[in-house]
Amino acid sequence: MLRMLILITIRQWRANKVRTLLTLLGIASGVALSFSMQTGNAVLVNSLQQTILKLAGKATLQVSAGDPGFPEDVLKVVRSTDGVKLAEPVIEAVARPTSEDAGNILIIGLDISSSPEIHEYQFEERGGPVSDSLEFISHHDSILITSQFAQDHNLGEHDKLELYTSQGPKEFTVRGIIKGVGAGEIFGGHVAVMDIYSAQYVFDRGANIDRIDVMTDPDAGVEPVRDKLVERLGPGFEVSRPAARGQDVEYATATIRQGYLISSLVALLVGAFIIFNSLNTAVTQRRHEIGTLRALGVERRYIQLMFLVEAALFGMIGAVLGVVGGFYLALIARATSISSTMYQHMVVPPSPSFSLEYAFTSAGLGLAASLVAAWFPARAASRLDPVLALRNVETVPSKYPFTGLRFTAGTLSIIASLLLIRFTTPHVGLTLQLSYAALTLFGFIIMLPDLSEWIARALRPIMDRAFGSEGLLAIDAIIESPKRTSATVAALMISLAFVFSTWAFIQSQKSSIVKSFDRLTNSDLFVFNHGRTYSFPEGLGPLIGSLPGISRVESARFVSVPYGGHRVGVLALDTSGFFARVESALEEGDEDEARELMPKGEGVLLAGNFSSRWGLQVGDLLKLDTPNGTLIRPVLGILNDFSAEKGTIYLDRGLYKTYWQDSGVDFFNISLNIGADRGAVKRQLQQLLAGEHQAFVFTNVEYRERMLGVVDRFFQLTYLQMVITIFVAVIGIINTLIVSVVERKREIGIIRAIGALRGQIRKMIVLESIAIAITGLTLGGMKSLVDTYFMVHTAAAVILGYSLPYHWPTTAVFLAVPVVTVVAAIAASWPANRALNMEVNEAIGVE
């Protein structure tokens, strides 16, 4: 029996090739998005983890304290700890050759005179190892480069290589060529090794190092040694396995995955409605066939099984197509490139690799969505009365009866969602947070038949006046058969609400960044190093300040440091200059008190997302563990700042240098004299820095545009997801119009027989499509009112660490009206042609 039912299903697929293809595309699009998101993110995380492990060499533990590093005296404490076999200091810096378009090179500073066992670098036969380490150390220009870098830049042993450093351009001598293995494989193979003390000098690290790689005694055990190091070093240090640092990277990308997960679920949900609509269409088209099978004695359960098997086949084939399409989507979109720009040690992100685990997960989601969506159409098909099923489909009632209970339940569901969004904290977990959006969706879905009919009835007089009888026939087709259009309207509602709320989320974030930028970052000019490759020397500030037209130069350092098991940002700046430049900087707190105490190092300021995430308010004490003791200062104020996901702490530079022993500068804020020509001063700065530092000089407007460009690049994949989601919804429109033509075949035939022109029939079908689109657009706009609140309040707190101001995307909604209308008209072209090609006699005689 099952085999016969499958054969019937396949025969129907052959007879309705377009509907079959559209249905497969619907589910395949959702699966493709899910698979591409998982694949792209997995490549990113795996690549970063492998980078960390390769940099670690044979180290079993690593000691670190955030970006600023820590005093090299700590090395003595580590080496004297029981169970530590070897401990080697490391510095990492990124430099840029002075030759144009040479790209960056990762410099690893090691203690060449010490044991090479932890970091074993293999050498080319023509170069050999460093035979005399003392000679290598005595020449501060000594450097080892990888064979890849040597090949790319045509360098050999004893050749010269000039690099930009904190001390300006420095010429180095190639003392050896190392093979591209281990650490030499990262950074595109562009890696060099220097003596650590030379690296400290040329990159202005003072007596600080970045980390200590530790090899433990096999008999001592890794964890016991780690516990001893934690106890001896104190809370200002992180002691972890290299693999654990890789897990931190995975956690850092968790918010990206969560954003992608939401988008993928939306696409799969829209795809599920396509399946639902397609099987509803199949039930309508095959009523005579179902009636015949039931009349011949086929049991109800086999009819239901036939449609469930059809849905399973749709799901499996669509899943295969989606997995293949998702893999190529990951290749094209290169999702890793959007996020990997945040990490120094990845120049060219690797190509995605195919994962069976992600393929089965995504395919399983697609199959599950197909079966869930098919349940109700399959159940309805099994319950068809054989006598009614053999009658003309146009005589079968297809309206949903209005029930106050259903409408009340939907309203209460939406209200509950709003209350949960408003009053629950952002730390309750992603599963519970997604339930808020699910409640909103449930509420709109159960009210959708009533809302759709009300909107259609409101459109009826407008369609009558604007388009006459064709408009009335088009809108009446929707009013009289809401079941036919409900799935498509739902798919449109979901996809458009997703587009509107995501658009609002992006625009709200950009608006907040611009507002914060204009308020806090209002300098006339900015000087940044090239890609944050190294720190400027502090002495460069007075040199810049000596240029004519410049009234004030503020040195600033932005680093990430450990706090509460995570990494937070620390912005060390000249706070006296900051308060002289910025008026009304604080959202909370006494600004006069902050203006007085901050330059003395007697307090800190917190970004709003830091305050929200860690529960610190004005007047509380911030306790921040550092390599030189615990920094304890009162919170003097809260301000809006979006520099770091986990929050930012504002410190005075003097206080920062005391606790981190770091005088480096990442950027300079420059204020000009009144009347000074920004363009002229910018050119002077460029001339001053040319040949000495690889620096960017931006005006205020240029830097703001650059920051907004970073936000846009971050959301590039989201824009692509929005396009695909709309595409899936358009498939639903086409499907609905096809079944509309089939159901109204006799009606269309009669209209043609009494003299309707072919153009009028086409116009009627196109207007029906536009009416469906407007209904979906209206409901999508209504749903986006709640979804936008969820995105800027809850989703923003999860993804960004802070809530955003609520701005309903009015512009996006108004822009969507003509776009959706045109797309709907285009989508109606094929069903309209099908209606025009019907034989009038055959259509009138259909039973």
Side-chain angles (χ1 to χ4, degrees), residues 460-475:
R460 194 175 190 278
I462 300 174
M463 298 288 280
D464 183 17
R465 293 191 189 97
F467 304 106
S469 58
E470 297 94 332
L472 282 177
L473 288 170
I475 202 71

Side-chain angles (χ1 to χ4, degrees), residues 76-271:
K76 298 177 183 178
V77 178
V78 174
R79 284 177 170 170
S80 64
T81 301
D82 291 339
V84 173
K85 181 179 180 181
L86 290 173
E88 297 298 332
V90 179
I91 280 182
E92 292 174 17
V94 180
R96 189 175 185 86
T98 56
S99 57
E100 294 185 3
D101 302 324
N104 292 339
I105 180 170
L106 174 64
I107 307 293
I108 302 177
L110 302 174
D111 188 352
I112 300 298
S113 63
S114 187
S115 170
E117 188 175 347
I118 293 182
H119 307 106
E120 289 184 336
Y121 293 93
Q122 299 182 14
F123 297 84
E124 297 283 2
E125 293 180 359
R126 60 187 173 93
V130 178
S131 57
D132 190 342
S133 59
L134 290 178
E135 181 182 4
F136 186 90
I137 295 170
S138 63
H139 293 86
H140 293 296
D141 66 344
S142 298
I143 193 170
L144 306 174
I145 61 174
T146 58
S147 55
Q148 182 66 54
F149 187 83
Q151 178 182 340
D152 291 346
H153 295 83
N154 196 28
L155 293 172
E157 193 171 356
H158 305 303
D159 285 345
K160 303 297 183 180
L161 172 64
E162 191 173 51
L163 302 172
Y164 285 107
T165 72
S166 298
Q167 306 300 323
K170 293 291 182 183
E171 190 175 70
F172 296 89
T173 302
V174 178
R175 305 287 181 182
I177 309 294
I178 60 177
K179 287 185 176 180
V181 295
E185 294 178 282
I186 65 174
F187 219 78
H190 289 193
V191 179
V193 177
M194 291 178 60
D195 179 66
I196 190 167
Y197 301 105
S198 298
Q200 283 178 324
Y201 170 72
V202 299
F203 293 108
D204 200 27
R205 298 297 180 86
N208 276 10
I209 56 178
D210 288 336
R211 71 170 192 270
I212 299 173
D213 288 346
V214 178
M215 183 185 291
T216 55
D217 190 323
D219 296 332
V222 176
E223 287 304 315
V225 176
R226 178 187 174 278
D227 294 340
K228 292 177 185 177
L229 286 171
V230 169
E231 181 180 356
R232 296 193 68 191
L233 294 174
F237 294 85
E238 293 178 310
V239 183
S240 60
R241 295 174 180 259
R245 290 183 65 201
Q247 292 171 0
D248 291 340
V249 169
E250 185 171 3
Y251 181 83
T253 62
T255 55
I256 300 173
R257 294 200 309 274
Q258 289 166 353
Y260 291 165
L261 172 63
I262 293 172
S263 301
S264 302
L265 288 177
V266 169
L268 280 172
L269 187 60
V270 174

Side-chain angles (χ1 to χ4, degrees), residues 119-440:
H119 307 106
E120 289 184 336
Y121 293 93
Q122 299 182 14
F123 297 84
E124 297 283 2
E125 293 180 359
R126 60 187 173 93
V130 178
S131 57
D132 190 342
S133 59
L134 290 178
E135 181 182 4
F136 186 90
I137 295 170
S138 63
H139 293 86
H140 293 296
D141 66 344
S142 298
I143 193 170
L144 306 174
I145 61 174
T146 58
S147 55
Q148 182 66 54
F149 187 83
Q151 178 182 340
D152 291 346
H153 295 83
N154 196 28
L155 293 172
E157 193 171 356
H158 305 303
D159 285 345
K160 303 297 183 180
L161 172 64
E162 191 173 51
L163 302 172
Y164 285 107
T165 72
S166 298
Q167 306 300 323
K170 293 291 182 183
E171 190 175 70
F172 296 89
T173 302
V174 178
R175 305 287 181 182
I177 309 294
I178 60 177
K179 287 185 176 180
V181 295
E185 294 178 282
I186 65 174
F187 219 78
H190 289 193
V191 179
V193 177
M194 291 178 60
D195 179 66
I196 190 167
Y197 301 105
S198 298
Q200 283 178 324
Y201 170 72
V202 299
F203 293 108
D204 200 27
R205 298 297 180 86
N208 276 10
I209 56 178
D210 288 336
R211 71 170 192 270
I212 299 173
D213 288 346
V214 178
M215 183 185 291
T216 55
D217 190 323
D219 296 332
V222 176
E223 287 304 315
V225 176
R226 178 187 174 278
D227 294 340
K228 292 177 185 177
L229 286 171
V230 169
E231 181 180 356
R232 296 193 68 191
L233 294 174
F237 294 85
E238 293 178 310
V239 183
S240 60
R241 295 174 180 259
R245 290 183 65 201
Q247 292 171 0
D248 291 340
V249 169
E250 185 171 3
Y251 181 83
T253 62
T255 55
I256 300 173
R257 294 200 309 274
Q258 289 166 353
Y260 291 165
L261 172 63
I262 293 172
S263 301
S264 302
L265 288 177
V266 169
L268 280 172
L269 187 60
V270 174
F273 275 102
I274 299 298
I275 290 284
F276 176 84
N277 197 34
S278 177
L279 291 183
N280 262 339
T281 302
V283 172
T284 300
Q285 290 180 326
R286 295 157 63 180
R287 297 177 70 88
H288 288 263
E289 181 181 275
I290 295 169
T292 301
L293 289 172
R294 292 283 290 117
L296 291 174
V298 177
E299 298 177 19
R300 293 179 183 272
R301 59 191 179 97
Y302 284 112
I303 298 297
Q304 184 172 7
L305 182 61
M306 177 177 66
F307 283 96
L308 290 176
V309 168
E310 181 172 354
L313 291 174
F314 272 133
M316 288 187 288
I317 298 172
V320 171
L321 294 174
V323 167
V324 174
F327 182 70
Y328 282 101
L329 181 63
L331 287 172
I332 295 170
R334 299 300 293 272
T336 54
S337 65
I338 297 169
S339 304
S340 64
T341 53
M342 297 184 294
Y343 301 90
Q344 281 187 336
H345 304 315
M346 294 182 69
V347 177
V348 180
S351 297
S353 56
F354 189 86
S355 168
L356 283 176
E357 177 185 354
Y358 297 142
F360 280 117
T361 301
S362 301
L365 287 173
L367 181 60
S370 301
L371 290 174
V372 171
W375 176 259
F376 289 105
R379 185 167 173 269
S382 68
R383 295 191 174 190
L384 280 176
D385 186 287
V387 176
L388 291 177
L390 291 171
R391 292 172 59 189
N392 189 317
V393 295
E394 295 183 25
T395 66
V396 180
S398 58
K399 282 193 174 185
Y400 292 98
F402 173 79
T403 63
L405 180 61
R406 184 176 64 208
F407 195 83
T408 302
T411 303
L412 292 176
S413 179
I414 294 171
I415 292 173
S417 172
L418 289 169
L419 292 174
L420 286 169
I421 295 171
R422 173 63 182 85
F423 293 108
T424 56
T425 69
H427 308 294
V428 296
L430 182 61
T431 302
L432 185 57
Q433 288 158 346
L434 287 177
S435 71
Y436 310 163
L439 277 173
T440 302

Side-chain angles (χ1 to χ4, degrees), residues 508-572:
S508 293
Q509 186 185 9
K510 291 174 71 172
S511 174
S512 298
I513 290 174
V514 168
K515 182 179 178 181
S516 173
F517 183 93
D518 291 342
R519 191 174 183 181
L520 303 179
T521 318
N522 58 350
S523 300
D524 296 304
L525 294 171
F526 304 89
V527 176
F528 292 88
N529 56 29
H530 194 288
R532 299 287 299 274
T533 50
Y534 56 81
S535 299
F536 292 124
E538 194 171 32
L540 183 59
L543 185 61
I544 291 174
S546 66
L547 292 176
I550 294 179
S551 64
R552 183 176 57 252
V553 177
E554 303 166 37
S555 302
R557 180 85 158 119
F558 185 84
V559 295
S560 66
V561 301
Y563 181 84
H566 298 275
R567 289 294 182 97
V568 300
V570 167
L571 179 58

Side-chain angles (χ1 to χ4, degrees), residues 568-642:
V568 300
V570 167
L571 179 58
L573 69 166
D574 299 328
T575 51
S576 58
F578 172 77
F579 280 109
R581 171 171 50 85
V582 180
E583 296 182 3
S584 302
L586 304 184
E587 297 291 327
E588 300 177 32
D590 187 329
E591 188 146 341
D592 290 334
E593 180 186 27
R595 191 182 301 271
E596 177 186 354
L597 297 180
M598 284 291 292
K600 299 176 183 179
E602 297 179 5
V604 300
L605 304 178
L606 301 181
N609 60 330
F610 188 100
S611 171
S612 174
R613 186 179 292 274
W614 304 104
L616 288 176
Q617 304 298 327
V618 175
D620 294 341
L621 289 178
L622 171 73
K623 296 182 180 180
L624 182 61
D625 295 317
T626 79
N628 293 285
T630 301
L631 185 155
I632 303 176
R633 292 293 187 279
V635 177
L636 300 177
I638 308 293
L639 43 74
N640 280 331
D641 178 274
F642 306 99

